[in-house]
Structure formats: structure tokens, C-alpha cells
Amino acid sequence: MQGHQDPIGLRQRVAQLAADPNAKAIAIGAAAVVITPMVLPYAKPLLRGTLKSSVILFEKTRGAIAEAGELLADIAAEARAEVHGTSPAALSPSPSGSDSGASNHEGAEPA
């Protein structure tokens, strides 16, 4: 065995490095560090627009879920009214916020 290796050409060395997964990861990381400061000013408006769209979508979804919850609450109140034999309006609280006592009909006899 000889103690020295044959000199390798640049192409062979690059090919060896390209085959090594660790070298690929290091190269990608180094490229990201170099490229990020150059790309970030151009990507900022895109990121802002994406976040703005996401916030709008979130708010619309939250509103739709709230409306669906109100619809289900109304349907449940109507079902309770049918079971207890009272009108649905008597079970729901008054719009002014004051409770007239008409919403607690669970223990009352149907009319």
C-alpha cells in the first residue's frame, strides 16, 4: 500500500461531493445564507399579501362558523319548544337583553 493518493481532477471531486448527502446539505445551507438577503426585499410584498389573505380568510371563516352556531342554536331552541309545547320565541331571550323569566320552561307543564 502506498501512503499517497492519486491526484483527482476538479470534475471528479465535484462529482464525489455531489454524491455525498452531507455535502449537499451544507451547500444548500450556504446558498440559502447567501441568497436570502438578496431575495427577501422582493419576497416581502408577496409574504405581506399572503398573510393579508390568510387573515381575511380566517375572519370570514370565523364569521361563517359563528353564523352556523347561531343557526344550530335556533334549530335547537325550536326543537326544545316543540318538545315542551311552547313557542320558540318564548324560549329565546328578549332582544333587549332583559330576561322576562320565559326562557326557563324546563320544569313547567305544557299548556
Side-chain angles (χ1 to χ4, degrees):
M1 282 200 230
Q2 292 180 352
H4 67 85
Q5 296 179 353
D6 292 328
I8 329 178
L10 180 61
R11 284 188 177 165
Q12 289 176 334
R13 183 64 184 145
V14 170
Q16 285 178 349
L17 286 174
D20 184 15
N22 292 332
K24 286 181 185 178
I26 291 171
I28 290 171
V33 168
V34 170
I35 292 173
T36 299
M38 292 184 281
V39 173
L40 196 58
Y42 299 108
K44 191 174 180 179
L46 178 66
L47 291 172
R48 184 182 299 128
T50 302
L51 287 174
K52 184 178 174 182
S53 298
S54 299
V55 167
I56 291 170
L57 178 65
F58 171 76
E59 289 176 353
K60 286 185 177 184
T61 302
R62 184 173 57 182
I65 290 172
E67 287 180 23
E70 290 176 13
L71 179 64
L72 287 174
D74 291 345
I75 292 171
E78 291 173 8
R80 263 189 242 110
E82 288 178 11
V83 168
H84 294 293
T86 59
S87 70
L91 288 178
S92 61
S94 63
S96 66
S98 64
D99 191 6
S100 62
S103 63
N104 190 8
H105 285 287
E106 291 181 14
E109 289 290 323

